[in-house]
Amino acid sequence: MFSGNQKIINEARKLLHVRYLRANPIRVTLETSKSPDCHYKAMTMQKSVPINWTLIQQRLIPYLFLLPALLVLGLTVFYPALQAFYLSFTRYEYDITQAPEWIGFANFQRLWQDKVFWQTLGNTILYLAIAVPILVTIPLVLAILVNQKLRGMHWFRAAYYTPVIISMVVAGIAWRWLYAQNGILNQLLKQTGILTSGIPWLTSPRFALFSVIAVTVWKGLGYYMVIYLAGLQSISAELYEAAAIDGSDGVRKHWDVTVPLMRPYLMLVAVISAISATKVFEEIYIMTKGGPRNSSKTIVYYLYEQAFGSSLDISYACTIGLALFLIILVLSILNLKLSPKN
């Protein structure tokens, strides 16, 4: 009887060993590599495990679909970015047919001592400080107004959104005519008796940058209004009814209910508008060319001048682009830190 039980135990051990080999073929091969006999058995069991081609296909197919997009991004985004990073440590100017010359951190030292760069950086920060708060607050007010269920409200939505679909080139030319010394804006100010002489909107260092900011704000109001409108329509009316019961009505209900629930949208608009204001170019190029006396010149326009202007200083332009990338990276990190966890 004892021998019969021992035989059953041995058979059970063999069965458990076979199952273990099938579940862990690689691990068993490593553990039994010192024993030739066990190594042979483990390799035999490992070869007997069929390859799950279905699972492999399921894991590879998504990457095959992503491959064309990755190739396009690699050729148009990633490779140029790496090339620009390399060129920022070289001298590559005037004759672009010559190979870049490695100069280390000389471009960064030049950037640190460049007064025009610091002036354009100050203009960019001022652009952010004025445009972003306006583009965060006023579109929310417009979205609350056009979210009312009143007759003909869709016409107001279309009117506010119309500047978004207008090309910046067309908008810039139109506003340049409006800002002209004898333009419509100065004529209206003279006829109403507010001013006796026209304001040099685009030719004075005091007004040029603010005039361009006004165009950016005018064109962006409708775009950010639509983002807020989507968030407002997701807020249940029952919340406003409950707030009204608690005594929160009129404008106060928006402060107690709308603003807290719209916080993710507020952060999104703040980041998008900040990045857009940092990269502003078309308005400057069309309306002021960065003048007068660099008063409206931003970092992106200064980069354009260095790369494609008379100097053709490609390497220094790449250095300015790297500085711009770091600024945008800081803004993105602040968004991640300040945005709600949900």
Side-chain angles (χ1 to χ4, degrees):
M1 182 177 179
F2 177 78
S3 60
N5 291 337
Q6 186 65 33
K7 187 175 181 181
I8 294 174
I9 292 172
N10 292 335
E11 292 294 332
R13 286 178 177 176
K14 290 181 180 180
L15 181 61
L16 291 174
H17 183 64
V18 169
R19 290 181 177 178
Y20 179 77
L21 290 176
R22 289 177 178 175
N24 305 278
I26 299 176
R27 182 179 176 183
V28 172
T29 304
L30 295 174
E31 291 177 351
T32 58
S33 58
K34 295 182 180 180
S35 174
D37 216 13
C38 294
H39 178 71
Y40 173 76
K41 293 180 180 179
M43 292 299 295
T44 304
M45 294 304 301
Q46 184 179 3
K47 292 179 180 180
S48 63
V49 177
I51 299 175
N52 193 345
W53 292 106
T54 303
L55 181 61
I56 295 175
Q57 290 177 359
Q58 291 176 353
R59 293 182 177 179
L60 288 179
I61 286 176
Y63 294 99
L64 292 177
F65 280 109
L66 289 174
L67 185 60
L70 291 176
L71 289 175
V72 174
L73 287 175
L75 293 175
T76 60
V77 178
F78 300 132
Y79 175 74
L82 294 175
Q83 185 72 6
F85 179 77
Y86 165 74
L87 290 177
S88 62
F89 295 93
T90 63
R91 179 182 289 110
Y92 190 54
E93 55 188 10
Y94 302 115
D95 188 4
I96 59 176
T97 60
Q98 300 295 324
E101 178 186 355
W102 181 266
I103 58 174
F105 291 93
N107 285 326
F108 295 92
Q109 295 176 357
R110 174 185 171 186
L111 186 70
W112 182 260
Q113 300 171 356
D114 190 352
K115 295 182 179 180
V116 178
F117 168 76
W118 292 109
Q119 184 179 2
T120 57
L121 179 60
N123 293 337
T124 304
I125 294 174
L126 182 60
Y127 212 104
L128 287 170
I130 297 176
V132 173
I134 297 176
L135 291 174
V136 170
T137 55
I138 294 182
L140 179 59
V141 176
L142 294 177
I144 293 173
L145 292 176
V146 301
N147 195 38
Q148 308 297 322
K149 295 181 180 179
L150 299 175
R151 185 177 180 181
M153 191 56 67
H154 60 280
W155 291 107
F156 289 95
R157 296 180 184 179
Y160 290 137
Y161 193 75
T162 299
V164 179
I165 62 178
I166 298 176
S167 170
M168 179 54 73
V169 176
V170 176
I173 294 173
W175 277 93
R176 190 174 62 187
W177 289 344
L178 291 174
Y179 282 140
Q181 191 68 27
N182 296 322
I184 298 176
L185 189 57
N186 281 330
Q187 293 296 331
L188 290 175
L189 293 175
K190 291 178 182 179
Q191 291 178 3
T192 54
I194 298 176
L195 296 174
T196 57
S197 61
I199 297 177
W201 299 103
L202 300 178
T203 57
S204 172
R206 293 188 301 168
F207 300 107
L209 184 64
F210 300 102
S211 301
V212 177
I213 292 175
V215 177
T216 302
V217 171
W218 170 79
K219 199 170 186 310
L221 288 176
Y223 177 76
Y224 299 115
M225 180 197 70
V226 171
I227 296 177
Y228 285 138
L229 190 60
L232 289 173
Q233 293 179 352
S234 65
I235 299 176
S236 175
E238 298 176 355
L239 297 176
Y240 293 109
E241 295 174 0
I245 294 174
D246 293 337
S248 178
D249 203 0
V251 179
R252 185 178 175 183
K253 70 179 182 181
H254 295 295
W255 183 259
D256 296 334
V257 178
T258 305
V259 174
L261 294 177
M262 292 291 292
R263 188 177 300 173
Y265 296 90
L266 290 168
M267 293 300 303
L268 175 64
V269 170
V271 173
I272 294 176
S273 59
I275 293 176
S276 299
T278 306
K279 300 187 298 181
V280 64
F281 173 76
E282 293 92 340
E283 300 95 313
I284 307 294
Y285 180 79
I286 296 168
M287 300 176 66
T288 64
K289 303 290 184 182
R293 298 198 300 270
N294 301 325
S295 60
S296 63
K297 187 177 295 183
T298 58
I299 291 182
V300 174
Y301 191 83
Y302 186 47
L303 185 153
Y304 164 80
E305 278 188 340
Q306 294 297 319
F308 305 105
S310 58
S311 60
L312 286 177
D313 198 344
I314 304 296
S315 58
Y316 189 58
C318 292
T319 308
I320 300 173
L322 183 59
L324 178 63
F325 166 75
L326 295 176
I327 293 173
I328 297 176
L329 180 63
V330 170
L331 293 176
S332 302
I333 294 174
L334 288 176
N335 171 46
L336 294 176
K337 296 294 183 181
L338 298 177
S339 60
K341 297 298 181 181
N342 56 352

